[in-house]
């Protein structure tokens, strides 16, 4: 092994490529370094410091997500100094805002007060909408800390619930900035940014207006990136627990891109959609793919062909409907010529179906009048 291109992590000598960070080398070798602000594919901000590691001869602990691997480095990812630093960071985050899940104190009265507060603020007797699906909660358990070490800092900003898709609960925000990176660097929508300063810091849209009055296109990338309960899909909030659903991987049916999605299914109903982290979309979705799933279980879906007679639709069999369409198209072609017919197809069907449709137009109807909404 060429020592110029290796470093040592937890006693293991590991090769690295120039430009790789300590975090990348560790993850490639199944060494777990916790992260909160790090968003894969974007420039590290080093905002949360939860990924700190000890590097021999460095004067301070270094953020693994933002520190390039160097030849001969000796890194420790869970040394006593590292664990102490991570505990303090988690304690500070838990005491800032409304993080009442993993921080139950020994005092039962205080616990009840927490529940009452949440009930008043959220209109729910549940504690947190992402209980069991929160990176900060995971870390509090992993490092066995509560939020009691520091005085609680109350949240300053009220919840935003005025758009149809996303609830923004600033009291649970840990200012990691992942939503900003997801919006500005991944989706390049530039709808949100950090606003105000220091302890008044807040993620704002359009000069601190509601998302619905900003450039937000409701792609939901920020919700998927948020590691805590600060951004939650409105339809899911307090209705579905993460462990109550099973995921079904499928392809989004809205357009020809073929985004890979995970349908979250509870009691045989789709209750949420997330982007799968593989090609072609690598986790990203548009508003239709992420939030437009209610049609799946709609009782207004057509289940049989309908024939319009005297202004009224009536159910028909497929044979009857197809015979009628064949007869009408044949009549138009024979009376007015094939070019009186045009065929419009759709990006919501597959390439194979579109191929068959154009073949039908050219070979059967004898017209080249074919068009498609996604031909650009
Ligand atoms: S956001 Fe996470 S840490 Fe905060 S209360 Fe909810 S589950 Fe707990
Ligand atoms: S929903 Fe999309 S556009 Fe709107 S703030 Fe989030 S990432 Fe930006
Ligand atoms: S809203 Fe979520 S993703 Fe954005 S800064 Fe707050 S905690 Fe991080
Ligand atoms: S994950 Fe590295 S600083 Fe936040």
């Amino acid at each position: 092994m060429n020592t110029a291109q290796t470093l040592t992590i937890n006693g293991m000598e590991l090769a690295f490529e120039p430009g790789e960070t300590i975090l990348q080398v560790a993850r490639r070798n199944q060494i777990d370094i916790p992260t909160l602000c790090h968003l894969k594919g974007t420039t590290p901000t080093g905002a949360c410091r939860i990924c700190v590691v000890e590097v021999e001869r460095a004067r301070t602990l270094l953020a693994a997500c933002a520190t390039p691997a160097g030849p001969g480095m000796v890194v420790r990812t869970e040394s006593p100094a590292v664990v102490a630093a991570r505990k303090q960071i988690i304690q500070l985050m838990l005491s800032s805002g409304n993080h009442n899940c993993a921080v139950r104190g020994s005092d039962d009265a205080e616990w009840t007060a927490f529940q009452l507060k949440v009930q008043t603020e959220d209109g729910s007797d549940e504690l947190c909408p992402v209980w069991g699906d929160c990176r900060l909660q995971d870390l509090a358990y992993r490092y066995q800390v509560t939020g009691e070490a520091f005085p609680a800092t109350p949240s300053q900003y009220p919840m935003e619930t005025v758009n149809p898709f996303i609830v923004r609960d600033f009291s649970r925000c840990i200012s990691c900035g992942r939503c900003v990176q997801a919006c500005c660097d991944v989706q390049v929508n530039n709808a949100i940014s950090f606003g105000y300063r220091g302890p008044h810091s807040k993620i704002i849209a359009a000069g601190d207006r509601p998302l619905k009055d900003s450039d937000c296109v409701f792609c939901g990338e920020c919700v998927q990136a948020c590691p805590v309960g600060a951004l939650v899909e409105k339809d899911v909030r307090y209705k579905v627990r993460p462990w109550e659903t099973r995921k079904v991987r499928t392809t989004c049916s809205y357009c020809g891109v073929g985004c890979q999605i995970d349908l979250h299914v509870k009691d045989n109903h789709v209750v949420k959609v997330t982007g799968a982290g593989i090609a072609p979309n690598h986790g990203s979705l548009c508003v239709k793919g992420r939030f437009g799933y209610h049609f799946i279980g709609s009782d207004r879906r057509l289940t049989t062909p309908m024939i319009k007679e005297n202004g009224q639709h009536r159910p028909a069999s497929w044979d009857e409907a197809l015979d009628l369409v064949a007869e009408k198209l044949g009549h138009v072609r024979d009376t007015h010529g094939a070019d009186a017919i045009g065929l419009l197809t759709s990006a919501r069907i597959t390439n194979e179906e579109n191929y068959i449709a154009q073949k039908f137009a050219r070979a059967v109807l004898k017209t080249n009048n074919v068009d498609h909404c996604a031909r650009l």
Side-chain angles (χ1 to χ4, degrees), residues 89-110:
I89 293 164
I90 300 163
Q91 285 167 331
L92 281 165
M93 285 178 178
L94 289 174
S95 62
S96 160
N98 183 21
H99 297 287
N100 53 352
C101 65
V103 294
R104 177 175 184 173
S106 44
D107 183 351
D108 273 353
E110 181 192 331

Side-chain angles (χ1 to χ4, degrees), residues 166 179 182-184 187 189-192 211 214-223 291:
I166 301 169
C179 55
C183 184
C184 301
Q187 288 279 6
N189 287 328
N190 298 321
I192 51 177
L211 278 184
S214 74
D215 289 338
C216 174
V217 295
F218 292 108
C219 64
E221 189 84 15
C222 54
V223 180
F291 294 112

